[in-house]
Amino acid sequence: VRLGFELRPRVKQIDTVAAEYPAETNYLYLTYNGSDDDVELHQGGAHMVLGSGVYRIGSSVEFDWCAVRCTQELRQLGCKTIMVNYNPETVSTDYDMCDRLYFEEISFEVVMDVYEAENPMGVIVSKGGQLPNNIALHLHRAG
């Protein structure tokens, strides 16, 4: 319904320096409380990797490590990378692991919002564990 009214979230940058000077991090989030984006969006060429989200029993650090290794390999190949993950205690959320990091939940709606904003070449879901796998078919159907 919201897309019919052209209601789309804006990309905002997390201020990691408490406004002492302009933040230049790649830490991003989506919000409907804004009229413009804080950063210039890639608009193609990047690869989006879904992280593992929060850790649960049966879902441990190896999923995070797989997502990290995927972004590292893509960067070695000269590709821009976008990570979507919301667990701040994982390696994948370190500032130097990817070009863009969205601290967002791993859900179909959020992933599609980031996809529409960044227009990546594709989404890699098989590295993040169960949460990305749960939405993989929905993402495939969305194109």
Side-chain angles (χ1 to χ4, degrees), residues 63-82:
F63 292 123
D64 183 61
W65 182 243
C66 290
V68 166
R69 284 298 305 138
C70 182
T71 57
Q72 287 175 337
E73 187 64 28
L74 287 167
R75 291 178 90 188
Q76 286 179 351
L77 294 171
C79 302
K80 296 284 185 188
T81 57
I82 302 166

Side-chain angles (χ1 to χ4, degrees), residues 111-125:
V111 171
M112 288 304 296
D113 285 340
V114 174
Y115 183 87
E116 289 172 5
E118 294 279 4
N119 192 24
M121 294 181 70
V123 180
I124 300 171
V125 300

Side-chain angles (χ1 to χ4, degrees), residues 51-52 55-70 90-91 126-129:
S52 58
Y55 290 157
R56 297 184 176 112
I57 294 174
S59 173
S60 58
V61 295
E62 59 266 10
F63 292 123
D64 183 61
W65 182 243
C66 290
V68 166
R69 284 298 305 138
C70 182
T90 62
V91 175
S126 65
K127 303 296 181 191

Side-chain angles (χ1 to χ4, degrees), residues 49-60 63-64 84-87 90 104-111 123-139:
V49 178
L50 303 184
S52 58
V54 298
Y55 290 157
R56 297 184 176 112
I57 294 174
S59 173
S60 58
F63 292 123
D64 183 61
V84 179
N85 200 6
Y86 63 104
N87 187 347
T90 62
E104 293 289 345
E105 68 176 341
I106 310 296
S107 69
F108 175 73
E109 182 176 2
V110 168
V111 171
V123 180
I124 300 171
V125 300
S126 65
K127 303 296 181 191
Q130 195 58 49
L131 287 173
N133 287 333
N134 288 345
I135 62 172
L137 190 55
H138 298 291
L139 292 170

Side-chain angles (χ1 to χ4, degrees), residues 1-10 32:
V1 172
R2 66 177 176 80
L3 295 177
F5 291 104
E6 296 187 26
L7 296 174
R8 290 177 171 45
R10 293 299 183 180
Y32 289 95

